Amino acid sequence: MQNWKLQLSLQAVTLFATLAPLHAESPAVQPPVAPSAGFASIDPPAPSPPLLQDHSFSTGLQSSTRIQGSTGIQSDPYRAYAAFTGRGDEHSRLHTDLFVPLISDRQNLLFSDIRGQFLSGGGAEGNVGLVYRHMVASDYIVGVYGFYDVKRSANENTFHQATIGGELLTDVWDFRWNGYLPEGGSVHAVDASAVISNGNLVVQNNQERAYAGTDAEVGLLLCRIPNYFDSELRGFVGAYHFDTNSPTAESIQGPRVRAELRSFDLPFLSLDSRLTLGVQYQHDSVRDSQTSATIGVRMPFGPDRRRHRRMSRIERRMTDVVVRDVDVVTHTTPTPGGQEVAVHALYDFEIGSVTVLDASTADLPAAVASATTDSVIIDGGRGNIYLSQPIEVQDGQQILGGGLQVKGADTGIHAYYGTPVNLYGTDETQAVILTADNSVISGFNIFGGLHGISSDLPSGLDDLVDVLIFSNNVTGAADSGFRFGTLDADSIIAHNRATDNGAHGFDIEQNEGLFVQNNALGNAENGFDLFDNDGEVSLNRSLRNEGFGFFADDNSGNIDENEAYENGLSGFDFLDNTGSIAGNLSADNGLQGFTFARNNGVIEDNLAFDNGGFGFDFADNDGTVQGNLAFDNGDVGFDFADNFGLFQENIATGNFGAGFDFVNNSGQFLANEAIENSGSGFDFVENTAAGTFSNNVAEDNGEFGYDGTNSGTAVNNTGADNEDGNDTFP
């Protein structure tokens, strides 16, 4: 630092000695008035001193001299720099800018401008430009430039563009113009959207397009703040216009204003450094109002010891960043002729004509009841909806919540319409939504009320014909979340969720339809209470309910691939089974995994583990019990009275009671395995004269391998290492 100060002092002495004779012959000049400590007004340029044998030249505020000797010649008036700018708007961005002089003297500068831009929401852009600026008589600068731009949009489309422009800069004024020429055919497909067209919901296929256009602006130096890092404030006003050749695309045009506060030669960085704070506002009918703020730091390359002076104001302008639109202007536009009929993405029914209601609707239940369109969409875009009266769905009506997923009937491309909605029932004596025959109810988050969705009418519990109720969530109802009478064979209850309701999650008198992929969590009684099931109950889950996971008085249908976890009582509880119970899982429930009063159907490939009581518990088997697994339950793996049917290939292992505990076998008891249970492997009274007891295995059990008598057929029953022996039977 001391060497630098000494060198500067020597240069000042030399300059003073050179200028002294001329100063003595010049007329007297009044000394300048010292600037105030605050904002300084715009000063007129100081008189230029005469040239000194081509060794010195005017700089506006100060003189700069090429000094020859031991310090060498300063031949780099403009240094390369890197700039980093953060931009906050609807997408946070980071800009990087590399300024590289290629050919330069004080009046002429040819440089490359290399830029990169990264968006937080996805997407990036790169720009490579060549810029030529010429300073005219130290008064103004004329510049021209061209850029090649490439953009990777957030939609993962790539666009190419050429940008050309010109500028006129003075110490006080800015005038600039830019033209943007995207590559021909810059059209790429993007996600479709669901829109209402002529009263019907349709799927609109869209394209992302690059827009050709132009912008221009005028800037003015508003004030200087010399005592604060030699700062200045500039303001700019301009306009832009962009368009594309699509008949469905609207032109993008509007005003733009911005301001920049620039601070130069920052003491904590170096000479030629710069800090820029900016704010910008623009508005057009396509993108609406857009406001952004920027903060940028410029850091030059090269050591300060080679610099002998600060740049003058007009020289600083030679290194100003080229101002242009920050990225290739792209926008999503409808594909001409690209509308399709909208059908539901999962169930393929046509949405058709629509009435859209929301929180601003004065009497929403009345509006639903009086709607004559195919579908009523209740949208959540205006907030939650509070209901003191039920929404009464009409016969044949489709009532759908916002956030609706649809697809095009022709292409199958998916889109969404609206915002998900929350409905709050404020009266615990009435349901929030009352169903009707031939209706569709989907897409609602429902809180409170007596029931979330119900057919419990004032006149009594109604039976339903051909209803489709799916993708609804019901929480905190005073009674059951979903409550219906008989659901006929054409009815579907699917993808619904019942949570923390005051009684059952799902309460159905009789199911003859399809009951699939529903969830019941934390309800005060049973997760699923199906008084009678004659239909299909599959892929449902019951978790942490205080009663049974699944309960049915009688099952004559199919109960397949359901799951019951951590319920207070048994996972599955049925009085009588004449249908099929297959592929279900019951774990960590308070009582039994599976309980039946009697089995006259098929119980196959079910899994019960870690339950507090028996794995499987039933009175008599007159059907088929096959391929089931019971392990690590708190009592017997399989507990039943008598077997009159087929009981084969079941496994009991690691249970805290016997593996199999029953009274008599009068049917076929074949190829079952009891391994490592705390009690006997097989604990029974008798294999009767009508029974066949063959090919069973008992190993490593805590008591007997086989404990019972044989009066019928018993062959090839083996075992090993049972604590109390009886490794074979008979």
Side-chain angles (χ1 to χ4, degrees):
M1 179 65 75
Q2 295 299 325
N3 292 335
W4 181 83
K5 290 182 177 179
L6 178 59
Q7 186 181 43
L8 185 60
S9 299
L10 292 173
Q11 292 177 5
V13 169
T14 304
L15 180 62
F16 180 79
T18 305
L19 295 177
L22 292 176
H23 180 72
E25 296 174 2
S26 302
V29 179
Q30 293 292 330
V33 178
S36 66
F39 286 75
S41 61
I42 302 173
D43 300 324
S48 301
L51 298 177
L52 301 177
Q53 300 178 356
D54 292 331
H55 291 302
S56 67
F57 50 84
S58 172
T59 63
L61 289 182
Q62 54 191 342
S63 295
S64 175
T65 306
R66 296 181 181 178
I67 301 174
Q68 302 187 24
S70 61
T71 59
I73 299 177
Q74 182 175 304
S75 58
D76 56 343
Y78 307 110
R79 285 199 285 178
Y81 66 77
F84 300 90
T85 303
R87 182 185 183 94
D89 50 18
E90 61 180 279
H91 300 291
S92 297
R93 309 165 186 250
L94 174 65
H95 298 263
T96 62
D97 192 354
L98 182 62
F99 170 95
V100 182
L102 302 175
I103 302 173
S104 67
D105 57 30
R106 182 173 180 270
Q107 284 77 27
N108 298 279
L109 174 60
L110 178 68
F111 65 91
S112 62
D113 189 344
I114 304 170
R115 304 182 184 187
Q117 178 182 188
F118 308 93
L119 280 69
S120 63
E125 179 164 340
N127 318 104
V128 179
L130 193 63
V131 185
Y132 173 70
R133 283 174 174 159
H134 174 66
M135 186 192 305
V136 180
S138 298
D139 291 328
Y140 62 91
I141 297 167
V142 177
V144 292
Y145 45 84
F147 281 84
Y148 164 71
D149 310 321
V150 59
K151 175 179 181 176
R152 184 69 171 174
S153 75
N155 295 311
E156 298 185 356
N157 294 319
T158 301
F159 299 91
H160 302 269
Q161 175 178 275
T163 297
I164 58 174
E167 58 190 1
L168 177 64
L169 310 176
T170 73
D171 183 37
V172 176
W173 292 95
D174 295 65
F175 303 91
R176 59 178 52 88
W177 168 88
N178 296 295
Y180 306 95
L181 306 170
E183 173 191 25
S186 290
V187 181
H188 302 275
V190 295
D191 291 341
S193 56
V195 298
I196 296 174
S197 177
N198 297 321
N200 295 295
L201 191 68
V202 299
V203 172
Q204 173 66 63
N205 293 285
N206 297 312
Q207 299 169 323
E208 186 175 22
R209 292 175 169 269
Y211 280 57
T214 184
D215 61 24
E217 72 172 9
V218 177
L220 174 66
L221 175 65
L222 301 177
C223 62
R224 286 203 166 93
I225 318 169
N227 291 351
Y228 295 94
F229 307 119
D230 196 13
S231 300
E232 64 182 26
L233 178 64
R234 293 181 179 269
F236 305 85
V237 295
Y240 54 90
H241 176 87
F242 294 89
D243 208 344
T244 183
N245 59 4
S246 171
T248 62
E250 183 180 352
S251 62
I252 300 174
Q253 57 190 0
R256 176 185 293 147
V257 294
R258 62 189 185 92
E260 287 187 357
L261 177 64
R262 305 172 181 176
S263 299
F264 302 95
D265 302 321
L266 306 174
F268 45 85
L269 289 176
S270 65
L271 289 175
D272 303 339
S273 61
R274 186 179 298 188
L275 173 67
T276 303
L277 303 177
V279 62
Q280 177 177 293
Y281 171 81
Q282 64 184 35
H283 176 84
D284 54 70
S285 60
V286 175
R287 300 175 299 186
D288 205 3
S289 296
Q290 302 170 77
T291 303
S292 60
T294 60
I295 178 169
V297 177
R298 174 185 298 185
M299 295 180 291
F301 298 121
D304 280 351
R305 59 186 175 82
R306 294 181 55 83
R307 307 291 289 175
H308 307 304
R309 63 175 180 85
R310 297 173 183 266
M311 284 195 292
S312 66
R313 292 172 182 167
I314 197 68
E315 286 175 322
R316 287 173 178 166
R317 307 234 62 197
M318 291 284 281
T319 66
D320 275 1
V321 67
V322 172
V323 178
R324 43 158 297 178
D325 204 286
V326 294
D327 58 5
V328 178
V329 175
T330 61
H331 191 65
T332 299
T333 63
T335 303
Q339 288 188 354
E340 304 176 55
V341 171
V343 299
H344 191 269
L346 185 61
Y347 286 97
D348 290 334
F349 61 85
E350 186 174 329
I351 307 301
S353 60
V354 296
T355 298
V356 180
L357 309 174
D358 56 30
S360 66
T361 304
D363 187 347
L364 192 141
V368 172
S370 62
T372 58
T373 53
D374 298 321
S375 299
V376 174
I377 298 176
I378 301 179
D379 189 64
R382 293 183 177 269
N384 300 327
I385 297 174
Y386 296 87
L387 298 164
S388 59
Q389 297 292 325
I391 295 173
E392 296 189 32
V393 182
Q394 306 301 299
D395 192 328
Q397 194 173 49
Q398 297 175 169
I399 179 169
L400 308 169
L404 173 65
Q405 185 178 17
V406 296
K407 63 183 179 183
D410 299 327
T411 65
I413 191 168
H414 284 223
Y416 290 87
Y417 181 83
T419 303
V421 61
N422 297 328
L423 304 180
Y424 288 83
T426 60
D427 186 349
E428 292 188 351
T429 67
Q430 301 185 85
V432 178
I433 297 178
L434 289 173
T435 58
D437 291 343
N438 309 299
S439 64
V440 176
I441 302 172
S442 175
F444 296 100
N445 297 312
I446 303 173
F447 303 86
L450 179 64
H451 310 292
I453 301 176
S454 175
S455 65
D456 194 358
L457 304 176
S459 58
L461 194 62
D462 191 22
D463 296 335
L464 296 171
V465 174
D466 193 19
V467 296
L468 173 57
I469 299 172
F470 68 100
S471 299
N472 302 284
N473 300 317
V474 175
T475 302
D479 197 70
S480 298
F482 296 80
R483 177 80 169 107
F484 309 118
T486 297
L487 297 168
D488 80 329
D490 294 321
S491 294
I492 299 174
I493 309 296
H495 304 100
N496 300 288
R497 181 182 175 92
T499 306
D500 296 326
N501 296 291
H504 309 304
F506 296 83
D507 188 0
I508 294 93
E509 291 295 301
Q510 183 171 353
N511 174 50
E512 298 174 357
L514 177 62
F515 207 93
V516 62
Q517 291 188 333
N518 302 284
N519 290 284
L521 172 64
N523 298 286
E525 297 183 22
N526 303 329
F528 296 83
D529 192 89
L530 313 173
F531 191 76
D532 283 314
N533 178 53
D534 301 313
E536 178 77 25
V537 178
S538 60
L539 299 169
N540 302 284
R541 176 176 290 180
S542 185
L543 176 64
R544 300 195 190 102
N545 300 286
E546 295 183 25
F548 299 111
F550 294 82
F551 173 83
D553 189 52
D554 291 300
N555 174 52
S556 57
N558 298 318
I559 297 180
D560 302 331
E561 299 184 71
N562 302 283
E563 299 177 357
Y565 297 97
E566 301 179 19
N567 298 285
L569 302 179
S570 298
F572 294 81
D573 187 83
F574 307 100
L575 295 183
D576 192 14
N577 175 48
T578 58
S580 171
I581 299 173
N584 302 284
L585 184 153
S586 184
D588 293 304
N589 299 289
L591 296 180
Q592 281 61 255
F594 296 83
T595 301
F596 314 94
R598 190 178 186 92
N599 177 47
N600 293 285
V602 177
I603 301 172
E604 185 174 17
D605 296 330
N606 300 286
L607 176 63
F609 66 91
D610 288 337
N611 297 288
F614 306 123
F616 295 80
D617 180 42
F618 49 95
D620 292 330
N621 175 44
D622 292 284
T624 298
V625 179
Q626 177 174 289
N628 302 284
L629 172 62
F631 69 92
D632 292 346
N633 295 288
D635 207 321
V636 175
F638 293 82
D639 181 81
F640 55 98
D642 296 322
N643 175 45
F644 298 99
L646 175 63
F647 201 107
Q648 71 173 0
E649 297 177 353
N650 302 285
I651 299 173
T653 179
N655 299 287
F656 285 88
F660 298 81
D661 190 340
F662 55 98
V663 178
N664 295 316
N665 174 47
S666 298
Q668 293 181 299
F669 197 95
L670 310 174
N672 300 285
E673 298 180 16
I675 300 170
E676 296 182 350
N677 299 285
S678 298
S680 296
F682 298 87
D683 189 353
F684 57 98
V685 175
E686 182 182 11
N687 179 44
T688 69
T692 300
F693 193 100
S694 301
N695 299 313
N696 300 287
V697 177
E699 295 179 351
D700 297 311
N701 295 288
E703 297 179 8
F704 298 105
Y706 300 87
D707 186 10
T709 62
N710 178 46
S711 301
T713 302
V715 295
N716 200 31
N717 298 293
T718 62
D721 299 323
N722 297 287
E723 295 243 352
D724 294 334
N726 290 359
D727 291 343
T728 61
F729 180 79

